[in-house]
Amino acid sequence: MRGHDRINAVLPDELIFEIFARLDSKASLDAFSLVCKRWHRIDRLSRTTLRVGSSDSPELLLGELSRRFVSVKNIHVDELLSVALPVRIGRRQRRNRSPLLFVNFDKAYRRYISDIMESFCLTDAGLAAIGESFGQLEKLSLIWCSSISSNGLRSLAGNCASLKSLDLQGCYVGDEGLAAVGECCKHLEELNLRCCEGLSDVGLIQLATGCGRSLKSLGIAACPKITDVSLVTLGSQCASLEMFSMDSEVMHDEGLLAVVRGCHQLKTLKLQCTNITDEGLKAIGCCSSLELLALHNFQRITNLGLLAVDKGCKHLKSLSLSDCAHVTDKGLEAIATGCRDLMHLEINGCHSIGTLGLESVGRSCMNLTELALLYCQRIGNDALIEIGRGCRFLQALHLVDCPHLGDDAISSIARGCPNLTKLHVRRCYEIGNKAIMAVGEHCKNLTDLSLRLCDRVGDEALIAVGQGCPLRHLNVSGCREIGDAGIIAIARGCPQLTSLDVSVLQNIGDMALLELGEGCSSMKDIVISHCRQITDSGLFHLVKNCGMLESCHMVYCPGISSAGVATVISSCPNIKKVLVEKSKVTERTRRRAGSVITYLCMDL
């Protein structure tokens, strides 16, 4: 191949465009664009998404980006993302092979950098620069850009008539800015207004009047000045609305009724509204296209409201009930019998729902693929036994603080749900080895297993899982019965493991880390905090073969010293985060690692 360009001689631009479109990371795109001038040109034309840091003087940065990438349609502004600045590298640093270069600045250059880095808050000037530089912009995310105002939003809207998606979460913009968006952005389809405290009914009404016909998705939360008045306008102007999310303490039945009666195409409805009653919920039964319904903190609804939902929402596929204190088994049974296409069910803190309600789900909802039971004090083994019998397509099960669920429940799920890929269990103290051994025997597709604070699970369980499940993610934090034998079985049986949390396990030591290093070379994230028997030696054997390691948490490990921390930093070229006590980081390691190392707050 030396001297012969067999790729560029054969492949047309269109095929290389397709290859670029399938690259899954910015690093890969950047690397490919530097191969040759042709690929650099193609990258310049094909790059459609930018994620940029913000600063007080963004015009130069955005102008340069707009000249380099002429096809950009999506921009995500991240104020936590550092702006890449030109640096002058001394002769000594040029010989340094480390990927982290340390720059010696003279005093003037230090002052220059200090002036630029003084603030990383996007301002109205920056927002105007985005509008002027990227006139074909379709999607813009400005989450928590708290320094922008209506003036900047007005400038942006005037230049970006093609805008389809706008995320203003946490931005303190006012009614004038939102009115400008409604007036200029007639193709707007998605709008997020969570935590926009400066908005009122006036702005939302003007928005709905201006671009309500195109709007398909709207999220509102923590906007205390937005009331039922503007929701009535939404219902009359936004007939194409498909997703509506509202978190409000001032919304009442009147506002909800207006939205659900006027927006006949609603498919997703997420509500956290303490003042809604059964009358409001009954109207949801009119939404025949509804597929996802999430009700959080509904303290005034009863089974009557859910009875209306089950009669009208026959295509419902996802239901989440959180802190709905007055909904009982009867309400859940009505949903199960009326909405047989249900695929996702989450019950969180609904203490009046017990075993009988879940049994009806198992008998009626054959297509269920994901079930989450959180803080359910009245649900017992029989509920999951019925789920195991009837829901053979179940793929994910989440259990948190369910004290009456034990081995029989999980064993039934394992035998009846061969497609299970994710099992997350936390603080379910009746679940032990018998249950997890059944999972290892029957769930041959399980890739994600979390057993946090399940102190009856020991090595026997992990040995069975290691022999039967192709795990990629494992969390056994706080499972005090697990020792080296269990982790070694995982290391030998699950070579594709990429993330592992063994924190607070007092019975594992260096032998387990040695086996992990030899057997799990794809490891990217590991947490070994509070493991008292692990030493520098075990850490050395782990990182020697795990060259892809990106994250390592190792606080309160008395056997790990500054030498062990230095080993991780020097041996892992892809490392992005190391959590450790500040006292274990030498000055040399600190210089080499830069921002990679994170310290405990108490150490700062």
Side-chain angles (χ1 to χ4, degrees):
M1 293 293 291
R2 180 173 296 179
H4 301 279
D5 187 349
R6 306 258 175 114
I7 296 178
N8 282 323
V10 175
L11 296 183
D13 284 356
E14 292 78 11
L15 283 180
I16 299 181
F17 263 110
E18 289 296 321
I19 294 172
F20 271 60
R22 284 165 171 76
L23 296 177
D24 59 356
S25 69
K26 178 182 179 299
S28 297
L29 279 170
D30 291 343
F32 269 67
S33 69
L34 297 176
V35 169
C36 62
K37 291 182 178 180
R38 184 192 181 200
W39 290 19
H40 188 274
R41 174 179 57 82
I42 292 175
D43 175 56
R44 177 176 178 268
L45 297 174
S46 64
R47 191 84 65 114
T48 60
T49 300
L50 294 179
R51 180 169 176 254
V52 299
S54 54
S55 70
D56 269 345
S57 303
E59 295 85 357
L60 294 177
L61 173 64
L62 292 167
E64 181 64 29
L65 289 173
S66 66
R67 287 188 290 273
R68 166 75 189 278
F69 304 110
V70 296
S71 302
V72 170
K73 294 183 178 181
N74 309 319
I75 295 180
H76 304 267
V77 178
D78 186 349
E79 295 197 348
L80 300 179
L81 184 67
S82 299
V83 178
L85 296 171
V87 294
R88 295 181 295 178
I89 302 174
R91 184 180 304 171
R92 186 175 181 182
Q93 279 75 37
R94 292 193 189 102
R95 297 196 300 265
N96 189 347
R97 296 182 180 179
S98 169
L100 298 171
L101 302 177
F102 311 113
V103 183
N104 290 324
F105 301 102
D106 55 40
K107 292 183 179 180
Y109 196 70
R110 284 180 180 273
R111 286 196 300 270
Y112 168 70
I113 294 295
S114 176
D115 291 341
I116 294 181
M117 302 288 284
E118 189 175 20
S119 175
F120 286 93
C121 295
L122 185 73
T123 63
D124 288 339
L127 203 54
I130 291 177
E132 294 169 1
S133 302
F134 301 95
Q136 300 301 313
L137 197 64
E138 295 182 357
K139 183 175 182 178
L140 177 62
S141 175
L142 300 170
I143 298 179
W144 299 113
C145 292
S146 55
S147 295
I148 64 174
S149 70
S150 292
N151 293 331
L153 196 55
R154 190 186 304 110
S155 300
L156 174 81
N159 289 291
C160 296
S162 301
L163 199 64
K164 294 182 178 180
S165 176
L166 179 60
D167 194 336
L168 296 174
Q169 179 172 325
C171 300
Y172 201 83
V173 295
D175 293 331
E176 294 181 1
L178 204 58
V181 171
E183 180 182 352
C184 301
C185 304
K186 298 298 184 179
H187 302 288
L188 192 69
E189 296 179 357
E190 301 177 359
L191 179 62
N192 183 7
L193 300 176
R194 298 180 66 86
C195 303
C196 295
E197 298 179 357
L199 297 178
S200 72
D201 287 330
V202 175
L204 190 56
I205 289 173
Q206 291 178 310
L207 173 88
T209 304
C211 64
R213 292 183 179 181
S214 64
L215 204 61
K216 294 182 178 180
S217 176
L218 177 62
I220 302 173
C223 300
K225 299 176 185 178
I226 291 180
T227 68
D228 294 338
V229 174
S230 54
L231 297 184
V232 171
T233 303
L234 279 180
S236 63
Q237 299 292 329
C238 304
S240 300
L241 199 66
E242 296 179 1
M243 196 289 292
F244 181 60
S245 174
M246 185 77 177
D247 180 352
S248 172
E249 296 182 354
V250 296
M251 179 183 181
H252 297 81
D253 290 340
E254 180 185 358
L256 180 59
L257 288 169
V259 171
V260 298
R261 288 175 178 172
C263 307
H264 301 292
Q265 300 183 38
L266 269 179
K267 295 181 179 179
T268 299
L269 189 58
K270 301 178 181 179
L271 302 173
Q272 182 167 336
C273 307
T274 57
N275 293 315
I276 298 297
T277 69
D278 285 333
E279 291 302 315
L281 203 57
K282 287 178 183 178
I284 296 176
C286 301
C287 301
S288 58
S289 301
L290 198 65
E291 296 180 358
L292 186 151
L293 177 62
L295 305 176
H296 301 280
N297 198 25
F298 274 56
Q299 300 295 324
R300 301 178 63 184
I301 67 167
T302 66
N303 295 330
L304 293 175
L306 289 186
L307 288 172
V309 171
D310 96 88
K311 292 178 180 178
C313 305
K314 297 298 183 181
H315 300 291
L316 194 67
K317 295 181 179 179
S318 177
L319 175 65
S320 296
L321 299 175
S322 178
D323 295 320
C324 299
H326 301 296
V327 174
T328 68
D329 290 334
K330 185 177 180 180
L332 188 57
E333 183 177 356
I335 291 290
T337 56
C339 307
R340 293 179 178 267
D341 292 336
L342 202 65
M343 299 177 67
H344 172 274
L345 176 63
E346 177 181 338
I347 308 295
N348 185 348
C350 300
H351 301 303
S352 297
I353 294 178
T355 300
L356 294 177
L358 264 294
E359 285 181 330
S360 63
V361 172
R363 287 190 293 266
S364 302
C365 302
M366 306 300 180
N367 296 319
L368 196 70
T369 59
E370 184 170 5
L371 175 63
L373 303 175
L374 315 177
Y375 311 102
C376 296
Q377 307 294 320
R378 299 181 60 242
I379 295 178
N381 286 335
D382 290 344
L384 288 195
I385 290 174
E386 197 65 48
I387 294 288
R389 288 173 183 163
C391 306
R392 60 186 304 269
F393 298 110
L394 192 70
Q395 297 178 11
L397 177 62
H398 307 262
L399 304 173
V400 176
D401 277 354
C402 297
H404 301 298
L405 294 179
D407 288 344
D408 291 342
I410 301 300
S411 297
S412 176
I413 293 291
R415 290 190 298 267
C417 307
N419 297 313
L420 197 70
T421 60
K422 179 186 290 187
L423 176 61
H424 284 199
V425 182
R426 187 175 73 188
R427 287 199 300 266
C428 295
Y429 300 116
E430 297 300 315
I431 294 175
N433 283 337
K434 178 183 176 183
I436 307 305
M437 289 171 68
V439 170
E441 180 181 354
H442 298 286
C443 301
K444 302 303 181 182
N445 297 312
L446 192 73
T447 59
D448 189 344
L449 177 62
S450 179
L451 301 168
R452 295 178 61 190
L453 300 170
C454 296
D455 54 12
R456 293 184 61 236
V457 175
D459 288 334
E460 287 182 83
L462 289 198
I463 290 172
V465 169
Q467 293 172 349
C469 304
L471 288 187
R472 293 180 179 270
H473 310 280
L474 176 63
N475 188 335
V476 287
S477 174
C479 299
R480 59 187 182 186
E481 297 298 321
I482 292 177
D484 281 345
I487 301 302
I488 289 172
I490 294 294
R492 293 176 178 176
C494 306
Q496 300 302 315
L497 196 71
T498 59
S499 67
L500 175 66
D501 188 338
V502 292
S503 56
V504 205
L505 299 192
Q506 305 302 319
N507 296 323
I508 71 166
D510 293 340
M511 185 59 67
L513 263 63
L514 186 150
E515 292 281 349
L516 286 169
E518 293 181 352
C520 303
S521 58
S522 300
M523 186 77 70
K524 291 184 177 181
D525 305 288
I526 190 166
V527 181
I528 56 176
S529 299
H530 298 272
C531 294
R532 305 185 67 82
Q533 296 189 37
I534 292 177
T535 69
D536 292 342
S537 176
L539 205 55
F540 169 78
H541 288 294
L542 174 73
V543 301
K544 182 171 65 173
N545 296 314
C546 296
M548 299 175 64
L549 198 67
E550 297 179 357
S551 172
C552 181
H553 293 199
M554 47 184 171
V555 296
Y556 299 127
C557 297
I560 294 179
S561 67
S562 58
V565 177
T567 297
V568 173
I569 296 298
S570 61
S571 303
C572 302
N574 297 316
I575 198 73
K576 297 177 181 178
K577 182 177 181 180
V578 174
L579 182 63
V580 69
E581 298 96 322
K582 190 174 184 179
S583 60
K584 293 183 179 180
V585 182
T586 65
E587 184 60 32
R588 180 179 180 181
T589 300
R590 186 177 295 110
R591 290 198 305 269
R592 170 174 286 186
S595 62
V596 166
I597 295 181
T598 302
Y599 306 110
L600 291 176
C601 292
M602 62 184 64
D603 286 334
L604 297 179

